[in-house]
Amino acid sequence: METTLPTLSVFAVFGDSRTSTRQVFVNPYATATTADDPAPAPTGPPGTVSLTEPAFNATLTISDPSPWQSFLLILPELMLTLALCVVAVFLLLLMRSFRAGDPFTPDNARRLAVIGVLLLCVAAIPLVDEVVLRTLVSGTSLQGAGLHAAEDYRWAMVVGLGVLALAEFFRQGSKLRSDLQGLV
C-alpha cells in the first residue's frame, strides 16, 4: 500500500496546479448511495470534486481547484502546523528554564497549561476537517458519501490532558516551594 504525505503549501492555494488531492476515509455504511463504495466521478469543469481509488481509503480529487477550494484542502494541516509550532516555542522556553535548575516556577506551570490547551485544540481539528469535507462535496455527486478525514488526532486529547495534569503538578510544586522559602 502506497502512502503519500500531505503537502502543505500556501502557494498551492494561489498556484496554477491542475488538481488538488486529499486522503479521505469512506464509510460505506454512511453513504446515501446504494453501492458499497461511491464510484469515482469523471473529471469535468474546474472545481469538479471526485473520488479516485474508490475503496475504504480513497483520495478526494478536485480538478482545477479554485483558490477557496485549495485553501479548504490545506486548512486542517495549516491549523495543525501553527498549533505545533507554538507548542514547540513553549517547549523550548520550558527547556531553557530547566537548564537554570529550577523547574517548579509559575512560568513553567503556565507554559505547560498553554501547551495542554493547544493540544486539546489539535484534538478539535477533525471537527474542522469534517466541515471542510462537507463544504467541498456539497452540491456534487459525493454529497451523500460518508467521507471522513484520513488523519487521526485522537492522541492529542490524551496527551493534552496529560500535559494539563503535569501543569497542575508544576503549579502545586511552585506553590509548595514558595511556602517552604518563607519557613526557612
Side-chain angles (χ1 to χ4, degrees), residues 13-174:
V13 172
F14 301 106
D16 57 350
S17 65
R18 295 288 160 213
T19 60
S20 290
T21 60
R22 178 76 185 263
Q23 296 294 106
V24 294
F25 173 75
V26 180
N27 183 355
Y29 301 109
T31 58
T33 62
T34 57
D36 287 337
D37 294 323
T43 58
T48 300
V49 180
S50 63
L51 282 178
T52 56
E53 304 168 14
F56 292 114
N57 290 321
T59 302
L60 185 72
T61 304
I62 301 177
S63 61
D64 199 18
S66 67
W68 176 247
Q69 288 172 323
S70 296
F71 175 73
L72 284 177
L73 281 172
I74 68 165
L75 180 63
E77 284 85 9
L78 184 63
M79 292 173 63
L80 177 67
T81 302
L82 290 174
L84 292 181
C85 285
V86 174
V87 166
V89 167
F90 278 101
L91 280 175
L92 289 174
L93 291 172
L94 192 68
M95 291 174 69
R96 181 182 294 168
S97 72
F98 285 171
R99 270 193 251 151
D102 188 19
F104 292 103
T105 62
D107 287 339
N108 284 345
R110 278 191 295 276
R111 289 173 184 147
L112 284 169
V114 169
I115 290 171
V117 168
L118 284 170
L119 289 174
L120 290 177
C121 291
V122 166
I125 289 177
L127 300 173
V128 173
D129 217 353
E130 292 296 320
V131 171
V132 164
L133 286 174
R134 270 192 249 124
T135 302
L136 286 172
V137 299
S138 68
T140 67
S141 62
L142 297 173
Q143 187 168 355
L147 298 179
H148 302 286
E151 293 86 13
D152 184 14
Y153 298 115
R154 286 181 281 194
W155 60 268
M157 178 70 76
V158 174
V159 174
L161 290 174
V163 171
L164 285 174
L166 186 64
E168 182 61 23
F169 287 128
F170 270 69
R171 191 181 71 76
Q172 292 294 330
S174 68

